[in-house]
Amino acid sequence: MESNEEREHALAFVDFGMKRDITIKLDSVPAPAADWDTPEDLWSDLLECEKTNTASLMHLASVAQKVGDFAVSTFLMPFHMEQVDSEAKLKTILTKVRDENQTPGLLRQLDTELASESAAHGG
């Protein structure tokens, strides 16, 4: 589900760029980490990825603002808000994972919550 959403985002950027005759340079994307020692390491890594995405979007917005390209700024707005939500969600999950040491069974509860949320969104 998440990879489909990210693919849709990428296609939205390509579509927008084509409509605006903006040259788009696509580079290869390195494979993400796939081995973590603890659940906390996994969720920390995911949060750092989201922070990197946020920084990239902020850089694009900054350049768009600097050159006065308000169409790009407007296009980026929903992505900014989605990043705010994604980071907040991951911070909440990470807090719960860190609390697992004090509350046994919390990971099972978190897993159930995330599965219910995914099912509600068609995942």
Side-chain angles (χ1 to χ4, degrees):
M1 182 170 102
E2 185 71 26
S3 64
N4 287 336
E5 184 178 340
E6 298 304 332
R7 189 177 301 104
E8 288 173 13
H9 290 168
L11 291 174
F13 274 81
V14 170
D15 184 55
F16 180 80
M18 290 175 63
K19 288 177 182 175
R20 298 282 317 282
D21 293 325
I22 298 171
T23 302
I24 298 172
K25 180 183 174 198
L26 299 176
D27 291 327
S28 62
V29 177
D35 187 34
W36 299 271
D37 293 328
T38 67
E40 182 177 345
D41 292 342
L42 165 68
W43 291 104
S44 293
D45 195 32
L46 290 172
L47 179 57
E48 287 307 311
C49 286
E50 288 298 333
K51 287 180 177 181
T52 298
N53 289 344
T54 299
S56 294
L57 284 170
M58 296 300 285
H59 176 72
L60 286 173
S62 175
V63 171
Q65 187 175 27
K66 185 182 286 188
V67 300
D69 193 331
F70 301 109
V72 170
S73 296
T74 302
F75 170 75
L76 292 174
M77 190 62 64
F79 295 101
H80 288 301
M81 297 313 300
E82 195 169 310
Q83 284 304 118
V84 168
D85 292 340
S86 292
E87 283 190 34
K89 180 179 176 180
L90 285 170
K91 287 176 186 175
T92 298
I93 292 170
L94 188 54
T95 298
K96 289 180 179 182
V97 169
R98 287 178 175 150
D99 286 346
E100 164 64 16
N101 293 333
Q102 298 162 8
T103 311
L106 193 58
L107 284 180
R108 187 174 307 125
Q109 178 185 343
L110 178 60
D111 187 51
T112 301
E113 288 174 19
L114 294 174
S116 294
E117 183 178 309
S118 179
H121 290 95

